[in-house]
Amino acid sequence: MSTFKAPKGTYDLIPPESATFLAVREAIAAPLRTSGYGYIETPGFENVELFARGVGESTDIVTKEMYAFETKGGDKLALRPEGTASVLRAALEANLHKAGNLPVKLWYSGSYYRYERPQKGRYRHFSQVGAEAIGVEDPAVDAELIILADQAYRSLGLRNFRILLNSLGDRECRPVYRAALQDFLRGLDLDEDTLRRAEINPLRVLDDKRESVQKQLTGAPLLRDYLCDACKTYHEEVRGLLTTAGVAFEDDLKLVRGLDYYTRTTFEFVHDGLGSQSAVGGGGRYDGLSEMIGGPALPSVGWALGVDRTVLALEAEGIELELPAVTSVFAVPLGEEARRVLFAKVTELRKAGIAADFAYGGKGLKAAMKAANRSGARYALVLGERDLADDVVQLKDMDSGEQSAVAIAEVLTELRSRLG
Ligand code: ATP
Ligand code: MG
């Protein structure tokens, strides 16, 4: 073991489990790729002010969880705690919204950083795959995103997840509700921190996980009763489209989520096998965010799904993804000359698109065949001195154990036909 360990709250992805992570990322991205979303990649850090404004000054993310630092050059930066603000910043900077075809639909995949108290499902470095549809106010695009996330989870075989749905209103109706909620909260027995939060962002108090707070919240005014007609109609349309698509959801009138910028449609995906870190993903509409970071009015909607917790959800449901073996052919040379000939053959197979690996390190037959087994390869190519003299190689089917001599020049053709 080395003197060093992975930093607190982080972990390494190593084979074979790392293959599951890749497959989960790919499964989440797959429905997006075929629905008009283009891939975007932004830097791992940004101007700290982007997150302060974009995520919200009163959020836990900004006040407690951000890795903020000053560079030698005096720039104030932060490791990205989430994706939306960066993606919108990049889209505005590249003028994607001016190309005349809104919505701009983008997806991303990457690492995010939050200084949190590490526990199962909660890390300081974690992975998300996210999607954003920028620049239109259309309930169908809200529905599309929820449907695509549902499709992604289902394609992985997940069943025990639920979709929680709510509307947070807009700049017309939310302020009225906000005031009513504040009035209600002022009458409760709350600690100083929570009272302060009630003044800055009262909706977030609804999201408080503590039993002592939740108990007092029964009877709190609900946003649903304050929604303006436009928000009501919009929300009913989203609900109707989901129902028509056969996507089940639960109305959760207290769902607010931790970010300040959400408006109208808000949703969260929860998995019931994960204990207290039950949210596997979430998102919503953020009609005001563009203006908050200095852009034009661009009503938008998006989500981010956590890869780490999705992998934990698979474990909780006992799902093992069927990942095809990476290596199709494993080459086993016996002797120096065989090594050169077979190495050239492996290179040829790889160029032809056949996944091939090689027994390195001068292993004997027994150890080399063990390595072939471990690789999961369907076929082994064994080349000994007598084969060399006959210009053939032994092609062994690793499942049946059957072995036959194939002319060295014919190996590629033979493997192509066998592997289909
Ligand atoms: P939570 O309420 O659990 O703190 P959140 O509201 O902070 O979640 P979001 O900002 O909505 O989470 O991020 C979307 C998803 O990213 C979450 O549903 C979760 O799967 C994942 N995620 C967020 N923070 C972490 C973390 N610290 N470690 C692992 N995954 C995380
Ligand atoms: Mg959080």
Side-chain angles (χ1 to χ4, degrees):
M1 208 171 86
S2 106
T3 335
F4 300 104
K5 286 189 164 178
K8 184 173 171 186
T10 73
Y11 62 104
D12 303 305
L13 292 179
I14 44 184
E17 289 79 20
S18 52
T20 305
F21 271 77
L22 274 182
V24 166
R25 287 198 185 105
E26 189 42 50
I28 298 173
L32 298 168
R33 288 182 199 277
T34 53
S35 306
Y37 290 76
Y39 178 67
I40 184 169
E41 204 166 308
T42 63
F45 50 82
E46 296 273 353
N47 187 320
V48 67
E49 202 46 36
L50 171 69
F51 300 121
R53 278 205 249 161
V55 179
E57 301 274 9
S58 77
T59 59
D60 283 352
I61 292 181
V62 169
T63 56
K64 297 183 195 151
E65 299 171 2
M66 209 147 59
Y67 282 90
F69 58 100
E70 194 171 320
T71 65
K72 291 189 182 108
D75 293 333
K76 293 194 167 68
L77 304 176
L79 300 186
R80 57 183 182 189
E82 58 105 46
T84 304
S86 311
V87 167
L88 189 56
R89 193 268 309 141
L92 289 171
E93 192 172 331
N95 278 321
L96 297 185
H97 60 295
K98 285 187 185 155
N101 55 348
L102 296 175
V104 177
K105 299 208 289 186
L106 301 167
W107 75 273
Y108 58 87
S109 173
S111 296
Y112 296 85
Y113 307 87
R114 295 183 195 176
Y115 190 75
E116 303 214 58
R117 198 165 67 76
Q119 51 203 289
K120 187 164 190 193
R122 189 175 294 287
Y123 311 104
R124 292 181 171 176
H125 165 264
F126 59 96
S127 299
Q128 289 183 340
V129 176
E132 316 288 351
I134 297 165
V136 298
E137 189 184 286
D138 182 341
V141 79
D142 304 41
E144 167 177 290
L145 277 163
I146 296 171
I147 292 166
L148 294 176
D150 180 78
Q151 197 180 322
Y153 287 137
R154 285 184 190 283
S155 77
L156 286 165
L158 289 171
R159 293 295 175 266
N160 300 340
F161 67 90
R162 292 178 290 133
I163 301 172
L164 309 180
L165 184 69
N166 196 17
S167 171
L168 291 183
D170 63 7
R171 59 189 105 189
E172 291 296 312
C173 54
R174 190 144 94 205
V176 184
Y177 170 69
R178 190 177 183 276
L181 180 61
Q182 249 164 357
D183 271 350
F184 175 85
L185 294 174
R186 284 184 191 125
L188 301 183
D189 177 25
L190 299 169
D191 60 273
E192 203 135 302
D193 260 5
T194 312
L195 282 174
R196 202 170 317 122
R197 177 172 293 170
E199 294 309 315
I200 305 170
N201 190 346
L203 269 72
R204 296 208 43 250
V205 178
L206 297 178
D207 202 24
D208 201 306
K209 302 283 184 309
R210 288 169 299 176
E211 179 88 8
S212 59
V213 176
Q214 278 304 325
K215 253 198 329 234
Q216 298 189 65
L217 290 176
T218 32
L222 290 171
L223 189 40
R224 174 201 270 184
D225 301 324
Y226 289 78
L227 289 182
C228 61
D229 285 341
C231 284
K232 260 188 225 160
T233 310
Y234 194 97
H235 197 56
E236 277 318 307
E237 185 65 20
V238 174
R239 294 175 79 258
L241 289 167
L242 292 177
T243 304
T244 307
V247 171
F249 57 87
E250 296 170 21
D251 293 307
D252 181 346
L253 303 184
K254 281 194 184 152
L255 181 72
V256 294
R257 307 205 10 88
L259 285 63
D260 277 358
Y261 53 59
Y262 286 115
T263 50
R264 289 194 172 168
T265 314
T266 303
F267 48 89
E268 193 156 88
F269 297 86
V270 295
H271 191 276
D272 293 322
L274 294 185
S276 51
Q277 265 53 258
S278 62
V280 287
R285 183 155 273 286
Y286 48 92
D287 291 343
L289 179 59
S290 174
E291 287 144 297
M292 279 155 91
I293 62 169
L298 280 176
S300 306
V301 56
W303 50 241
L305 309 188
V307 177
D308 310 75
R309 288 188 199 168
T310 304
V311 170
L312 291 173
L314 288 173
E315 282 168 20
E317 288 198 37
I319 298 169
E320 286 209 20
L321 299 181
E322 277 178 38
L323 304 173
V326 184
T327 304
S328 303
V329 180
F330 197 92
V332 176
L334 303 170
E336 267 311 298
E337 183 55 18
R339 204 167 72 95
R340 276 180 221 115
V341 172
L342 208 48
F343 187 76
K345 192 49 74 179
V346 162
T347 305
E348 181 193 340
L349 295 178
R350 287 172 174 167
K351 275 188 189 151
I354 293 176
D357 203 355
F358 191 82
Y360 290 107
K363 289 184 183 65
L365 181 61
K366 206 168 151 202
M369 289 313 288
K370 242 189 207 162
N373 249 325
R374 222 178 301 125
S375 77
R378 291 246 343 253
Y379 296 101
L381 283 176
V382 184
L383 187 62
E385 266 164 35
R386 179 149 4 122
D387 301 318
L388 258 182
D390 296 347
D391 257 341
V392 297
V393 59
Q394 301 298 323
L395 177 62
K396 182 172 178 182
D397 184 318
M398 298 297 287
D399 290 335
S400 67
E402 251 169 70
Q403 188 169 310
S404 55
V406 176
I408 290 181
E410 293 302 315
V411 168
L412 176 57
T413 317
E414 178 66 21
L415 280 171
R416 263 202 181 126
S417 84
R418 291 208 193 195
L419 290 166

